Amino acid sequence: MVKVLCVLYDDPQRSTSTPTARSELPHLSRYPDGQTTPTPSKVDFVPGELLGSVSGKLGLAKFLEGHDFVVTSSKDGPDSVFEQHLPTADVVISQPFWPAYMSTERIAKAKNLKLCITAGIGSDHVDLEAAAKANITVAEVTYCNSISVAEHVVMLILNLVRNFVPSHEIATSGGWHIADCVSRAYDLEGMQVGTVGAGRIGLAVLRRLKPFDTKLHYFDQHRLSAAVEEELNLRYHNSVESLVRICDVVTINCPLHPKTEHLFNKELIASMKPGSYLINTARGKVCEAQAVKEACETGQLAGYAGDVWFPQPAPNDHPWRSMPNNAMTPHVSGTSLSAQARYAAGVREILECFLEGRPIREEYLIVQGGGLAGTGKHSYTEGNTTEGSDEAVHFDKDEALQEGPPVKMQKVVTGGC
Ligand code: NDP
């Protein structure tokens, strides 16, 4: 018997929450690069069910019968259910949307821990250096929600450029103020759009944007093939500074690791084209929160959109909740019901390997055998990015359930494209 400690987000809270809208999902067996979708021996859920919240249990309840399977949303602070169970857990599972931060201190407490599974992509909530030292394997379900996020990025770019959120708010509040709607609305066509990171998500974003007749740019540690560059008419930049200088829209699609932490600081944002749009669905900590807020206030950024924050949940008074011209949501892009079905199956596949002593797929590995491994070796650098995550304890759930402050939208047109 093993002890599996699983942190999931809360079940739906609002009275308007409805059951799922569709009864089936399209069936996918491979991702765009040919990698197979998860291949567990079977699953005990119907794809399309809500699996990512506590009662969904990632569809693992039946499979883990006979083991000690603890599922909780209580994850932050010394009195959390998570901290109580951590010292005796063999396996920890959590989703980046509601991460169980595995800081240096927590890893030191987890004496039995052998495996940390990220139900999703992005294991930066784990101190990877400490995990390696403690010989803990860290694995994630590579590719499971990359396309989910790419779709979301395209939506957010259009959202900002076309000024969708304020126009929607005007309609829902009974108004018809067309000039207010359009005074910050543009066409995406012809704009220079660049991605920082052209891996699974970044490349999928570029492919989806090509039909919009935009001019596409990318910066990455490794260059894409000449055939892909030609197919998408891509311009490669050998530094992030070179890319942000000329792009009207910048989308961040690299992992959070010590080299990308606070990459978008005051200085880099000041060097961006004035009036550009910044979209971040990678990780909140890739940007400096205050620098983004100030740039939205001055108009240096025409808008900022994304779904990732630091820490998560973000404090109720986090500046990104109320800064001008933002199109922020809680961390949702990678946890659509479609994505949940894939990452729940992927978690089961990883658990089956662990319990049967079989190797976990190379592409799922981030840390193994005392160092970065598999995908982790390619995309991450050694180190720890969990510092400050204990601040997540300050989120007040009850306050969040009240109506939040309205998003302030500037009415004056500033900057241009
Ligand atoms: P990939 O590993 O396929 O792609 C990441 C890319 O970023 C790689 O091409 C990598 O380079 C590149 N990269 C790494 N470091 C740098 C750097 N310093 N500068 C520029 N590029 C860099 O991962 P995905 O595309 O699937 O996911 C990317 C990230 O998106 C995840 O790590 C996660 O943080 C986030 N994510 C967010 C989700 C959400 O719900 N909002 C869901 C899923 C992911 P190379 O490999 O060439 O070295």
Side-chain angles (χ1 to χ4, degrees):
M1 186 181 84
V2 298
K3 176 160 181 166
V4 179
L5 177 54
C6 180
V7 168
L8 299 177
Y9 45 79
D10 283 310
D11 285 330
Q13 313 274 312
R14 296 191 181 240
S15 53
T16 50
S17 296
T18 50
T20 55
R22 297 171 57 81
S23 55
E24 61 179 50
L25 298 181
H27 176 72
L28 305 175
S29 56
R30 289 187 183 274
Y31 299 112
D33 71 351
Q35 180 189 315
T36 58
T37 53
T39 50
S41 58
K42 64 178 281 214
V43 296
D44 301 308
F45 59 82
V46 179
E49 279 176 348
L50 181 60
L51 302 166
S53 66
V54 170
S55 62
K57 296 184 167 60
L58 286 181
L60 295 170
K62 195 162 175 220
F63 170 65
L64 288 176
E65 270 171 13
H67 296 283
D68 187 3
F69 183 35
V70 179
V71 183
T72 181
S73 66
S74 164
K75 70 180 184 78
D76 296 305
D79 301 327
S80 60
V81 173
F82 182 72
E83 287 241 356
Q84 283 159 31
H85 287 276
L86 188 58
T88 49
D90 297 286
V91 179
V92 163
I93 304 172
S94 90
Q95 305 168 105
F97 324 105
W98 187 255
Y101 288 106
M102 290 297 289
S103 57
T104 323
E105 298 73 31
R106 280 182 161 181
I107 286 184
K109 282 182 198 166
K111 300 283 183 221
N112 281 2
L113 192 62
K114 294 155 197 79
L115 175 64
C116 265
I117 305 178
T118 303
I121 302 173
S123 298
D124 48 275
H125 58 283
V126 180
D127 177 343
L128 298 179
E129 199 166 278
K133 277 192 193 136
N135 206 21
I136 295 166
T137 295
V138 181
E140 59 186 49
V141 191
T142 301
Y143 231 142
C144 64
N145 54 13
S146 302
I147 301 303
S148 323
V149 179
E151 290 184 1
H152 204 87
V153 171
V154 174
M155 177 185 80
L156 291 177
I157 292 174
L158 289 169
N159 230 298
L160 285 184
V161 173
R162 304 209 57 96
N163 207 33
F164 176 80
V165 174
S167 306
H168 177 67
E169 283 171 351
I170 285 171
T172 54
S173 63
W176 196 266
H177 308 92
I178 294 172
D180 289 301
C181 299
V182 302
S183 59
R184 294 182 66 85
Y186 300 89
D187 295 346
L188 182 60
E189 184 182 27
M191 284 195 184
Q192 315 276 344
V193 184
T195 176
V196 177
R200 296 170 184 86
I201 297 174
L203 180 58
V205 169
L206 293 169
R207 284 196 194 287
R208 279 155 182 75
L209 286 177
K210 183 153 193 278
F212 284 91
D213 290 330
T214 51
K215 301 193 173 69
L216 298 172
H217 303 252
Y218 79 101
F219 160 63
D220 198 296
Q221 307 185 120
H222 301 95
R223 205 157 166 172
L224 293 166
S225 70
V228 171
E229 286 192 357
E230 194 180 331
E231 173 203 338
L232 299 174
N233 196 17
L234 294 181
R235 176 164 163 202
Y236 172 71
H237 295 258
N238 59 11
S239 72
V240 67
E241 289 80 7
S242 157
L243 179 136
V244 302
R245 247 195 316 271
I246 63 165
C247 282
D248 303 291
V249 179
V250 175
T251 155
I252 305 174
N253 298 297
C254 58
L256 171 62
H257 55 75
K259 273 198 194 158
T260 59
E261 185 171 347
H262 295 151
L263 177 66
F264 280 77
N265 55 18
K266 204 169 177 164
E267 199 186 348
L268 185 65
I269 293 174
S271 75
M272 294 175 76
K273 193 168 169 181
S276 51
Y277 302 91
L278 183 57
I279 286 83
N280 180 11
T281 53
R283 284 297 180 261
K285 229 187 186 184
V286 176
C287 295
E288 265 182 22
Q290 200 59 27
V292 166
K293 176 192 173 246
E294 284 166 16
C296 284
E297 285 169 351
T298 61
Q300 170 64 8
L301 286 178
Y304 181 90
D307 66 335
V308 286
W309 311 67
F310 186 82
Q312 290 190 173
N316 306 65
D317 62 353
H318 191 290
W320 293 357
R321 292 186 188 270
S322 56
M323 67 189 179
N325 304 312
N326 85 76
M328 292 298 295
T329 63
H331 192 167
V332 293
S333 64
T335 183
S336 59
L337 294 171
S338 321
Q340 288 176 40
R342 288 189 293 273
Y343 67 68
V347 169
R348 169 130 177 201
E349 178 187 332
I350 292 168
L351 281 174
E352 285 180 358
C353 291
F354 172 73
L355 294 171
E356 294 164 21
R358 288 190 283 116
I360 295 168
R361 286 192 207 198
E362 189 72 10
E363 63 253 38
Y364 289 172
L365 292 176
I366 302 300
V367 168
Q368 195 172 52
L372 293 172
T375 292
K377 209 171 195 169
H378 192 76
S379 292
Y380 286 76
T381 46
E382 306 277 354
N384 172 29
T385 53
T386 64
E387 221 156 277
S389 57
D390 46 352
E391 292 295 309
V393 78
H394 297 307
F395 173 73
D396 182 335
K397 215 184 269 191
D398 296 330
E399 190 185 324
L401 278 173
Q402 319 281 325
E403 239 10 87
V407 173
K408 289 181 218 122
M409 305 305 298
Q410 286 179 344
K411 289 204 176 135
V412 186
V413 188
T414 52
C417 299

